Amino acid sequence: MAVYKRGYQRYQGPVTGHAMRLLAMPRYAWERLMQQRLMIVMLALSCIWPLLCAVFIYISNHTELWSGLGGGVSKMLEINGQFFLIFMNTQATFSVMLAAMAGPGLIAPDLANNALPLYFSRPLTRFDYVLARLTTLVGMLSLVTWVPGLALFFMQVGMAQSGWFGKNWDLGLGILAGFLMWILIVSLVALASSAYVKWKLIAGALILGFFFILAGVAAMINGVFRVDWGSLINPSKAMYSVWCWLMGVETPRGMDVSSCVGVLVGLVFLLGMVLERKLRPVEVIS
Amino acid sequence: MSPRFQMRQAWTIATIEMRRAFFSKRAFWVYLLALFPSVIFIGHGIDSKIRLDRYKSRGVVAPAALDSIRAGMTDQEVIAKLGAASEDDSHTSRKRERTGDDEDGKRKWEEKVTHHRRLAYFDGSRRANFWFEEGILRDSQVGELLNFEEDRSVFAAVFQYFYLRLAIFFGCLGIFMNLFRGEMLDKTLHFWFLAPARREVLLLGKYLAGLVASSVIFTAGALLCFAAMLWPHSPSEVAAYWQGSGMGHTFRYALAAMLGCVGYGSVFLAAGLLLRNPIIPAVVLLTWEGINGFLPDVLQKLSVLYYLQSLCPVPAPTDPGMPALLKLILSPAAPASPWVAVLGLLAVTALVLWAAAQAVKRLEINYSTE
């Protein structure tokens, strides 16, 4: 083979900082996602429940609005761990739907169009690539999870009597920690699905199917074998148990928190393995 | 062209497509969805049979003696009545309890030691567990190892919550979306459009292929699951069931599974033609079907699930863990009569297929946008 004169010289100058390099991908991805009308509609829909919760907090803290309705109402309108747990549950559902819309477009097109070698020819490792994609989803899902959650918490702190924060500061911490764990799981499922099937369409269905079908399988095992441990294979239920523990609410029957944490850690490890296996810049065609 | 000729064309297309729908690698997960409940029921059957043999080998007590045990009896009284237990284990728990404060204001603690004992018996069909604290019977649990009525109720729940809402739903999403949208992604749809057949005939052929594949897979899956549920029960119970309502129930479950494929299949086929992203109809339909029971009666009737549930012979039990507030607003509409259910679903399917036919006639392929 002829060897021609090499006119190309590798760039040897200073490179952008690592954090900035990582943020380049999410920056473009967020821009692209925000251009999708459907994503905006979904984000707007996700804000309805936090707004309703804000109204609930307002009513709860204005006793003059319901003082004539009897003593049982005050118990019903109490802002406690159970209230935030219901809020978290609803927003978690929206976060799965958002991930099913935003997630498939993050890795699948890169794999389908053989774009990975282009990424990895730059000063980016595979870990950086996954982290950048994860950051995209974390940023997107944060908008509907812990951000409104903490906004509601601080709204309650501002409106409640002075001692409320002292007694319930751990709820705020629970909202943040609980949602961050959930976002990690949902994002990893979305990325792994996107990497596994290459097709955006199927990846979206796989993300939805993962959560809904595993929930169905868990309920089926519990029903057929008359046990409670089947719920452990349902990541949503396992996470719910961890949230209950964080928010000081009684955990569901048969759901030991340490087992749930173990299952979730195992799931993260498994999804990490899928990403490690699928995200390779070369493909061996047999 | 006569309708008969067009049907022949549609069937030719269907036979070609069916091979793909049944045997492609992409269809593997559909089989998994359809057959997984059977695996669970077979596992339950094996587990029950093993436990039955094990308990029988450890001794059987008289049912009347088992029923005579009451709370408050001592462990010695129970052993005197029932004999040695098939399982007998005990442990001691220690718990620190605050008893109050002393004069200096320091907390006073006392260690409480409790002796626990569990005795287990079997009367040939029922398994009983008795829990004692300090030798006194505090709690008991008596349950049949194999309960036919309970298993039928569990199957009804599995069929309605897993098969209809999840397996058939996602299975049809995969199969029917793949018929047109999959071809667009593979950049092969234009080959079909070059065939000398009208687009509506192509649509019908593809729909038939998806329908045959999904109906066979999911109806067979549901029937296999039903057989697996019946298998561990005593032959006399099963024979009595077949002589009674058994055959009718089997037929109605098979019909519901098949009509589920008819209804969801048409919706997802049309969605595959009208929308580029299948997640949107999937999410909308999943949400709509999920909140079905909480909607007013009129709106409940605008869902596929309402008609399918009307065909099911045994009502599915509600989730006992459902919050009280949700239980309060849950108001399932009265089921439709079987004829209305079947005709309603077929009418909706015909309407959706007509809309899909209009869409496929106007369809222009632009692979670059996929």
Side-chain angles (χ1 to χ4, degrees), chain B residues 3 34 49 118 156 191 199 245 275 288:
Chain B
K49 280 188 180 287
R118 182 182 71 94
F191 292 123
R199 297 245 179 129
S245 54
L275 299 163
W288 184 255

PDB file of all heavy atoms in Angstrom, chain B residues 3 34 49 118 156 191 199 245 275 288:
ATOM      1  N   PRO B   3     -64.381  -8.804  -4.147  1.00  0.00           N
ATOM      2  CA  PRO B   3     -63.922  -8.920  -2.755  1.00  0.00           C
ATOM      3  C   PRO B   3     -63.223 -10.256  -2.498  1.00  0.00           C
ATOM      4  O   PRO B   3     -62.268 -10.328  -1.724  1.00  0.00           O
ATOM      5  CB  PRO B   3     -65.216  -8.820  -1.948  1.00  0.00           C
ATOM      6  CG  PRO B   3     -66.182  -8.142  -2.827  1.00  0.00           C
ATOM      7  CD  PRO B   3     -65.811  -8.485  -4.223  1.00  0.00           C
ATOM      8  N   ALA B  34     -46.111 -14.324  26.899  1.00  0.00           N
ATOM      9  CA  ALA B  34     -47.305 -15.175  26.871  1.00  0.00           C
ATOM     10  C   ALA B  34     -47.132 -16.418  27.738  1.00  0.00           C
ATOM     11  O   ALA B  34     -48.100 -16.899  28.331  1.00  0.00           O
ATOM     12  CB  ALA B  34     -47.615 -15.575  25.433  1.00  0.00           C
ATOM     13  N   LYS B  49     -47.206 -29.839  45.334  1.00  0.00           N
ATOM     14  CA  LYS B  49     -47.136 -31.304  45.394  1.00  0.00           C
ATOM     15  C   LYS B  49     -45.998 -31.766  46.295  1.00  0.00           C
ATOM     16  O   LYS B  49     -46.160 -32.699  47.085  1.00  0.00           O
ATOM     17  CB  LYS B  49     -46.958 -31.871  43.981  1.00  0.00           C
ATOM     18  CG  LYS B  49     -48.284 -31.929  43.211  1.00  0.00           C
ATOM     19  CD  LYS B  49     -48.131 -32.662  41.912  1.00  0.00           C
ATOM     20  CE  LYS B  49     -49.447 -32.711  41.140  1.00  0.00           C
ATOM     21  NZ  LYS B  49     -50.441 -33.610  41.698  1.00  0.00           N
ATOM     22  N   ARG B 118     -43.128 -22.282  67.866  1.00  0.00           N
ATOM     23  CA  ARG B 118     -44.072 -22.489  66.745  1.00  0.00           C
ATOM     24  C   ARG B 118     -44.283 -23.983  66.550  1.00  0.00           C
ATOM     25  O   ARG B 118     -43.327 -24.755  66.489  1.00  0.00           O
ATOM     26  CB  ARG B 118     -43.502 -21.902  65.455  1.00  0.00           C
ATOM     27  CG  ARG B 118     -44.439 -22.023  64.257  1.00  0.00           C
ATOM     28  CD  ARG B 118     -43.778 -21.465  63.013  1.00  0.00           C
ATOM     29  NE  ARG B 118     -42.696 -22.324  62.550  1.00  0.00           N
ATOM     30  CZ  ARG B 118     -42.817 -23.285  61.631  1.00  0.00           C
ATOM     31  NH1 ARG B 118     -43.995 -23.520  61.070  1.00  0.00           N
ATOM     32  NH2 ARG B 118     -41.774 -24.000  61.269  1.00  0.00           N
ATOM     33  N   ALA B 156     -57.966 -15.591  37.651  1.00  0.00           N
ATOM     34  CA  ALA B 156     -58.761 -14.470  37.112  1.00  0.00           C
ATOM     35  C   ALA B 156     -57.982 -13.167  37.224  1.00  0.00           C
ATOM     36  O   ALA B 156     -57.964 -12.348  36.295  1.00  0.00           O
ATOM     37  CB  ALA B 156     -60.083 -14.358  37.862  1.00  0.00           C
ATOM     38  N   PHE B 191     -41.049  -2.125  -1.003  1.00  0.00           N
ATOM     39  CA  PHE B 191     -41.205  -3.399  -1.740  1.00  0.00           C
ATOM     40  C   PHE B 191     -42.668  -3.840  -1.708  1.00  0.00           C
ATOM     41  O   PHE B 191     -43.210  -4.323  -2.694  1.00  0.00           O
ATOM     42  CB  PHE B 191     -40.318  -4.490  -1.130  1.00  0.00           C
ATOM     43  CG  PHE B 191     -38.847  -4.239  -1.313  1.00  0.00           C
ATOM     44  CD1 PHE B 191     -38.000  -4.173  -0.223  1.00  0.00           C
ATOM     45  CD2 PHE B 191     -38.310  -4.062  -2.583  1.00  0.00           C
ATOM     46  CE1 PHE B 191     -36.657  -3.940  -0.386  1.00  0.00           C
ATOM     47  CE2 PHE B 191     -36.953  -3.822  -2.758  1.00  0.00           C
ATOM     48  CZ  PHE B 191     -36.123  -3.762  -1.654  1.00  0.00           C
ATOM     49  N   ARG B 199     -53.554  -0.737  -1.457  1.00  0.00           N
ATOM     50  CA  ARG B 199     -52.962  -0.489  -0.128  1.00  0.00           C
ATOM     51  C   ARG B 199     -53.870  -1.023   0.993  1.00  0.00           C
ATOM     52  O   ARG B 199     -53.388  -1.516   2.004  1.00  0.00           O
ATOM     53  CB  ARG B 199     -52.753   1.009   0.069  1.00  0.00           C
ATOM     54  CG  ARG B 199     -51.771   1.605  -0.934  1.00  0.00           C
ATOM     55  CD  ARG B 199     -50.564   2.104  -0.213  1.00  0.00           C
ATOM     56  NE  ARG B 199     -49.598   2.664  -1.124  1.00  0.00           N
ATOM     57  CZ  ARG B 199     -49.041   3.869  -0.978  1.00  0.00           C
ATOM     58  NH1 ARG B 199     -49.372   4.628   0.032  1.00  0.00           N
ATOM     59  NH2 ARG B 199     -48.135   4.302  -1.816  1.00  0.00           N
ATOM     60  N   SER B 245     -69.112 -25.482  35.047  1.00  0.00           N
ATOM     61  CA  SER B 245     -68.886 -24.282  34.224  1.00  0.00           C
ATOM     62  C   SER B 245     -67.509 -24.254  33.558  1.00  0.00           C
ATOM     63  O   SER B 245     -67.181 -23.282  32.881  1.00  0.00           O
ATOM     64  CB  SER B 245     -69.043 -23.054  35.126  1.00  0.00           C
ATOM     65  OG  SER B 245     -68.195 -23.203  36.247  1.00  0.00           O
ATOM     66  N   LEU B 275     -48.678   7.766  13.590  1.00  0.00           N
ATOM     67  CA  LEU B 275     -47.688   8.449  14.433  1.00  0.00           C
ATOM     68  C   LEU B 275     -46.309   7.832  14.270  1.00  0.00           C
ATOM     69  O   LEU B 275     -46.186   6.620  14.070  1.00  0.00           O
ATOM     70  CB  LEU B 275     -48.100   8.360  15.914  1.00  0.00           C
ATOM     71  CG  LEU B 275     -49.435   8.988  16.286  1.00  0.00           C
ATOM     72  CD1 LEU B 275     -49.890   8.467  17.615  1.00  0.00           C
ATOM     73  CD2 LEU B 275     -49.301  10.493  16.332  1.00  0.00           C
ATOM     74  N   TRP B 288     -55.096   5.475  30.068  1.00  0.00           N
ATOM     75  CA  TRP B 288     -56.560   5.421  29.943  1.00  0.00           C
ATOM     76  C   TRP B 288     -57.104   4.097  30.483  1.00  0.00           C
ATOM     77  O   TRP B 288     -58.076   4.076  31.238  1.00  0.00           O
ATOM     78  CB  TRP B 288     -56.945   5.607  28.474  1.00  0.00           C
ATOM     79  CG  TRP B 288     -58.429   5.662  28.239  1.00  0.00           C
ATOM     80  CD1 TRP B 288     -59.194   4.681  27.703  1.00  0.00           C
ATOM     81  CD2 TRP B 288     -59.310   6.734  28.553  1.00  0.00           C
ATOM     82  NE1 TRP B 288     -60.508   5.075  27.653  1.00  0.00           N
ATOM     83  CE2 TRP B 288     -60.609   6.351  28.175  1.00  0.00           C
ATOM     84  CE3 TRP B 288     -59.134   7.992  29.133  1.00  0.00           C
ATOM     85  CZ2 TRP B 288     -61.710   7.167  28.347  1.00  0.00           C
ATOM     86  CZ3 TRP B 288     -60.248   8.805  29.301  1.00  0.00           C
ATOM     87  CH2 TRP B 288     -61.516   8.389  28.908  1.00  0.00           C
TER      88      TRP B 288
END
